[in-house]
Amino acid sequence: MKIEQWKLNIENLIWREFPLCFIALLLFAHTTVVIAQNKDLGEQQYVVVKDYKPVLAEYFKISNTPEKDTSASTPPALSYSISSHPANTALEISPVKPVKIKDEALPKLYHALAKAGVGNYATTYGELFVNSKRSKNSSLGFHYKHFSASPELKGVGAGSFSDNFASLYGKLFIDRNVFSADLNYNRNVVHYYGYPKEILGGIPQDMTKQRFGNFNIGVGLASNNLNSKEYIDYSARIEYNNLSDLFETTEDNFRIKGMAGKYLRDKYVGVDTYYDYNRNNAFSYTKSHSVFSFSPSALLVNDGKLRLKIRTRLDIDNTFSSFLHFYPLLWEAAYTIGGNIITFHASLDGGIQKNTLLTVTKVNPYIGTENFTDFFPKYSNVQVDFLGGVKGNFNNKVFFAAAARYLNTENLPLYINSSFAGGVPSMKVVYDDVTQTQV
């Protein structure tokens, strides 16, 4: 094929250069004629008839089809290095002075505080506090209070009274424990009044006088752990009370109570228990009664918004015969919204409440104690104590709260007028089943 191509190129060259060749041939012929003009060549004619046909040579392009497999490439390995030169800076660092926070000054403590006052109806008031100053090891204090008045009530008897209270107390801090002890004495004097003098012929004031003296002593031991999640919280206390009056009525009370609790993971589990024993003496009549309570509990949720605590309670009432009271599901719940602005709370409670001469006379000191049946002790059984409400604050000056409560109680102590047959007007206790609604 290359030979044929070469021939074709020669032919193309001849035809492309034909005019020049033709002219050269004429000149050569003319020269020949000139040279050989002496020779008679005769007459000759040449007729050349030929169309000029230009022909372009075929052009071969370089193929774009890759000849090698490009599916896998092998990039060349590059190696380079950076020549670093640190810039010289003249940075001078000056030490920053720490912000000084002024320590809050501890409030100054004083050894003693005294109060006194007078008012209408010969009212006198006095109060005295004596305490040790701030200490990391112990504290000791004394408190005394007096309050009395002599109101003159027309036609219904004298209504004068006086209340006196004295207490000596102290605490001792030992490692992670606190030992406490206190000695207390209450002396309360009242006069029975509210009776018409003309009917009873006028009872001397000394005949209507009643005085209660209550002596109390107690000791306790409690934990004082800063991190309660690592240690067991506990407390225990023993108390003794003695109550006596002007009518040779006495009451002895012994009470021991305790509590223990600990965090188990994120739940706080605890138990509360107590035993309360009473002995009453009225003339020749003696009566003993007691109550035992055991209540385990668990704090299930306490995340800052929702707080939920559940517990059960078992009480044994031993007044005249033993009664077992079981409260299977008692609970407390609270939910806070708006960053502690509003808190909704509700609870369901119940249990045995003891009624003794001490608890009754604290509510109503005009109970007649010369007859034991006037303050005959029965324990109240609070079967349902439901409380629900809302509380909160709009700002640091405005606070609000609203609540409603429903109670269903067996043997609730109520007070009525006693008979005047004995010559001394007084009141006595009766017990009844009562439902209460409080708003």
Side-chain angles (χ1 to χ4, degrees), residues 56-76:
L56 295 176
E58 185 178 357
Y59 178 74
F60 289 90
K61 297 184 295 181
I62 300 176
S63 175
N64 292 330
T65 305
E67 297 180 357
K68 294 183 179 180
D69 185 11
T70 59
S71 62
S73 63
T74 305

Side-chain angles (χ1 to χ4, degrees), residues 179-243:
F179 174 78
S180 61
D182 53 88
L183 182 64
N184 310 288
Y185 181 73
N186 276 280
R187 184 181 184 275
N188 306 106
V189 177
V190 296
H191 287 80
Y192 301 118
Y193 69 95
Y195 56 89
K197 287 185 177 181
E198 60 275 10
I199 294 179
L200 298 179
I203 300 176
Q205 185 171 340
D206 293 340
M207 293 286 294
T208 63
K209 183 179 179 181
Q210 172 66 291
R211 183 189 66 232
F212 295 102
N214 178 28
F215 171 79
N216 169 270
I217 184 173
V219 294
L221 182 66
S223 61
N224 187 24
N225 301 317
L226 297 179
N227 188 353
S228 60
K229 292 188 176 181
E230 296 182 2
Y231 303 97
I232 297 177
D233 297 326
Y234 63 89
S235 66
R237 181 174 172 83
I238 301 175
E239 294 182 9
Y240 170 74
N241 276 281
N242 176 266
L243 179 67

Side-chain angles (χ1 to χ4, degrees), residues 147-359:
F147 180 67
S148 64
S150 299
E152 294 296 335
L153 305 176
K154 295 182 180 180
V156 294
S160 57
F161 68 91
S162 68
D163 296 328
N164 292 273
F165 170 74
S167 176
L168 179 65
Y169 50 88
K171 290 183 178 180
L172 184 63
F173 306 100
I174 308 172
D175 294 333
R176 291 189 295 268
N177 303 288
V178 178
F179 174 78
S180 61
D182 53 88
L183 182 64
N184 310 288
Y185 181 73
N186 276 280
R187 184 181 184 275
N188 306 106
V189 177
V190 296
H191 287 80
Y192 301 118
Y193 69 95
Y195 56 89
K197 287 185 177 181
E198 60 275 10
I199 294 179
L200 298 179
I203 300 176
Q205 185 171 340
D206 293 340
M207 293 286 294
T208 63
K209 183 179 179 181
Q210 172 66 291
R211 183 189 66 232
F212 295 102
N214 178 28
F215 171 79
N216 169 270
I217 184 173
V219 294
L221 182 66
S223 61
N224 187 24
N225 301 317
L226 297 179
N227 188 353
S228 60
K229 292 188 176 181
E230 296 182 2
Y231 303 97
I232 297 177
D233 297 326
Y234 63 89
S235 66
R237 181 174 172 83
I238 301 175
E239 294 182 9
Y240 170 74
N241 276 281
N242 176 266
L243 179 67
S244 61
D245 71 347
L246 286 178
F247 298 93
E248 299 181 1
T249 301
T250 62
E251 180 179 77
D252 295 293
N253 171 258
F254 175 78
R255 180 183 177 93
I256 179 172
K257 61 180 180 179
M259 181 278 295
K262 191 181 187 305
Y263 273 97
L264 299 179
R265 297 184 178 178
D266 58 342
K267 308 293 187 298
Y268 188 84
V269 180
V271 60
D272 294 86
T273 183
Y274 73 86
Y275 174 74
D276 199 306
Y277 172 82
N278 269 77
R279 178 185 175 91
N280 294 102
N281 294 284
F283 296 101
S284 61
Y285 188 90
T286 301
K287 174 60 183 175
S288 300
H289 46 94
S290 62
V291 60
F292 171 77
S293 178
F294 180 80
S295 177
S297 62
L299 182 60
L300 301 181
V301 182
N302 190 19
D303 58 6
K305 289 187 176 181
L306 176 64
R307 186 180 187 275
L308 177 61
K309 180 180 180 180
I310 62 172
R311 64 187 181 95
T312 61
R313 180 169 174 172
L314 175 67
D315 290 350
I316 300 176
D317 170 12
N318 183 20
T319 49
F320 291 95
S321 60
S322 296
F323 295 95
L324 181 66
H325 306 273
F326 181 58
Y327 311 88
L329 183 59
L330 306 177
W331 50 269
E332 302 173 13
Y335 185 74
T336 302
I337 61 175
N340 296 327
I341 295 178
I342 300 177
T343 299
F344 299 93
H345 61 90
S347 64
L348 179 64
D349 202 356
I352 294 296
Q353 293 181 354
K354 69 172 187 175
N355 299 310
T356 65
L357 182 60
L358 178 62
T359 61

